[in-house]
């Protein structure tokens, strides 16, 4: 016999509270960089020992060497958005909704607020009681990698080449620092090389010269704050910002057909992106990883 309606409603309360708090938290902030920052946080979390919110931990105890200090994470942001949402949820549903689930929900809502697709987020993740700075240094895809290396790294997490091509479309929003794109826009000869539009390379070299290694440039120069398929149009035009962006397209590579399809068919991109986000969000931490529901996202619980 099914449980009574009142019991079902009580069981559903944490999920409804989580969805509402995350949606309100992402909407209220509305600072230009928050949406892309939260989305990037989710990627950098899931690619280091699974989606366990380890990326949110500070160097607060001798047992935690924060992933925030790893070089690939040196420009991450959005931590305060997640912490604020967690604080609200601790008042309404104490010790119930994990930081890992909040991060998964927030990335979905951030994409929707940027006019992108939405998808169903399965809840039930737990938070790791430790972080792995070494894995953050070595396992995250690099902005300097070629397509073969990228496909291999994504495959290690059960994500195929199509997933990788679609998930790379997250770069349709947000910015990167000159430190990470200067190898592409300068090239070996200082002028960018054959795989980049010369005028685009010159523009971005000027950005670097004006602001140094911290000079930010948009991944998608057409609609940098709208989640659309302009990223792929840029790749076809050889105006990808990072080496790893442009690696997806050119010279008859294995993903050329997907990039061309996404550049012409925004619906196909959004459908594949949403599907791949669900797959990525299901990457578990390694077996035996100590987990919990943290009361504060930047600290493990003091048991």
């Amino acid at each position: 016999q099914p449980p009574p309606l009142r019991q079902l409603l009580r069981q559903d309360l944490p999920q409804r509270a989580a969805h509402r708090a995350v949606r309100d938290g992402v909407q209220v902030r509305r600072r230009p960089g928050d949406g892309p920052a939260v989305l990037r946080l989710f990627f950098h979390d899931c690619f280091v020992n699974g989606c366990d919110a380890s990326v949110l931990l500070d160097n607060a105890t001798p047992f935690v060497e924060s992933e925030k200090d790893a070089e690939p994470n040196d420009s991450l942001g959005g931590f305060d958005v997640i912490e604020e949402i967690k604080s609200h949820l601790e008042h309404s549903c104490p010790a119930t909704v994990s930081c890992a689930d909040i991060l998964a929900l927030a990335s979905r809502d951030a994409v929707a607020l940027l006019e992108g697709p939405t998808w169903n987020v399965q809840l039930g993740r737990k938070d790791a009681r430790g972080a792995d700075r070494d894995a953050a240094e070595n396992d995250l895809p690099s902005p300097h990698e070629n397509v073969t290396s990228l496909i291999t790294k994504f495959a290690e997490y059960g994500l195929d080449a199509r997933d990788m091509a679609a998930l790379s479309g997250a770069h349709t929003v947000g910015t990167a620092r000159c430190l990470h794109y200067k190898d592409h826009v300068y090239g070996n000869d200082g002028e960018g090389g054959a795989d980049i539009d010369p005028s685009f390379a010159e523009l971005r070299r000027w950005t670097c010269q004006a602001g140094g290694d911290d000079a930010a440039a948009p991944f998608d120069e057409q609609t940098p704050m709208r989640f659309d398929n302009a990223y792929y149009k840029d790749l076809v035009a050889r105006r990808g910002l990072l080496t790893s962006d442009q690696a997806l397209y050119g010279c008859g590579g294995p993903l050329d057909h997907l990039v061309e399809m996404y550049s012409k068919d925004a619906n196909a991109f959004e459908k594949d992106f949403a599907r791949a986000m669900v797959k990525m969000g299901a990457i578990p931490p390694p077996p035996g990883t100590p987990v919990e529901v943290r009361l504060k996202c930047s600290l493990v619980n003091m048991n």
Side-chain angles (χ1 to χ4, degrees):
Q1 182 174 344
L5 178 59
R6 183 175 299 174
Q7 181 179 342
L8 286 173
L9 289 174
R10 283 200 302 269
Q11 292 171 349
D12 189 47
L13 177 62
Q15 288 200 25
R16 288 187 286 121
H19 282 276
R20 183 171 60 252
V22 172
R23 184 179 61 249
D24 292 347
V26 174
Q27 284 181 338
V28 165
R29 301 305 296 258
R30 282 286 180 110
R31 295 180 303 197
D34 277 356
V38 167
L39 180 58
R40 188 170 176 229
L41 264 183
F42 188 49
F43 272 76
H44 282 233
D45 182 43
C46 292
F47 269 82
V48 178
N49 295 328
C51 307
D52 60 1
S54 60
V55 74
L56 304 178
L57 285 169
D58 288 337
N59 276 328
T61 73
F63 310 107
V64 176
E65 190 173 12
S66 178
E67 293 168 21
K68 296 177 183 179
D69 296 330
E71 191 276 333
N73 291 336
D74 61 4
S75 56
L76 287 181
F79 297 101
D80 57 333
V81 178
I82 305 304
E83 202 68 76
E84 184 175 315
I85 294 168
K86 177 63 173 175
S87 177
H88 284 299
L89 277 169
E90 283 304 305
H91 282 92
S92 56
C93 301
T96 302
V97 183
S98 70
C99 299
D101 274 349
I102 292 171
L103 194 48
L105 289 167
S107 64
R108 189 270 313 271
D109 289 353
V111 169
L113 284 168
L114 293 165
E115 303 179 46
T118 189
W119 55 91
N120 292 324
V121 175
Q122 184 68 41
L123 302 182
R125 299 167 189 79
K126 293 293 179 68
D127 304 322
R129 284 188 53 81
D132 192 339
R133 178 176 173 177
D134 288 341
E137 293 280 5
N138 299 311
D139 294 352
L140 286 165
S142 163
H144 315 295
E145 292 193 64
N146 61 41
V147 68
T148 302
S149 177
L150 289 169
I151 290 173
T152 299
K153 280 200 170 181
F154 276 71
E156 291 172 357
Y157 290 94
L159 301 166
D160 60 28
R162 191 181 188 107
D163 298 326
M164 194 271 283
L167 289 171
S168 296
H171 281 180
T172 195
V173 292
T175 63
R177 299 164 62 208
C178 171
L179 175 67
H180 298 305
Y181 64 78
K182 65 182 179 181
D183 66 313
H184 184 47
V185 301
Y186 281 96
N188 294 328
D189 59 2
E191 296 186 2
D195 69 338
I196 187 169
D197 174 78
S199 64
F200 178 70
E202 183 178 6
L203 172 65
R204 289 297 161 243
R205 288 196 298 271
W206 182 87
T207 305
C208 287
Q209 291 161 11
D213 279 352
D214 288 332
F219 286 110
D220 162 17
E221 60 179 341
Q222 302 178 57
T223 52
M225 291 305 298
R226 183 188 308 155
F227 198 95
D228 56 21
N229 66 334
Y231 168 79
Y232 298 99
K233 295 178 182 179
D234 286 340
L235 297 186
V236 172
R238 288 177 167 76
R239 298 173 73 87
L241 185 60
L242 305 177
T243 296
S244 58
D245 289 324
Q246 196 59 57
L248 272 61
Y249 183 81
C251 303
L255 302 180
D256 281 10
H257 67 293
L258 284 172
V259 171
E260 290 176 357
M261 179 181 72
Y262 293 154
S263 73
K264 298 171 184 175
D265 189 343
N267 289 332
F269 160 54
E270 292 189 355
K271 180 179 178 182
D272 281 1
F273 181 83
R275 179 183 57 82
M277 285 293 285
V278 172
K279 286 181 68 174
M280 186 181 75
I283 299 173
T289 300
V291 294
E292 63 187 4
V293 173
R294 283 188 228 132
L295 304 182
K296 186 175 175 61
C297 290
S298 58
L299 301 171
V300 298
N301 297 340
M302 295 295 108
N303 293 332

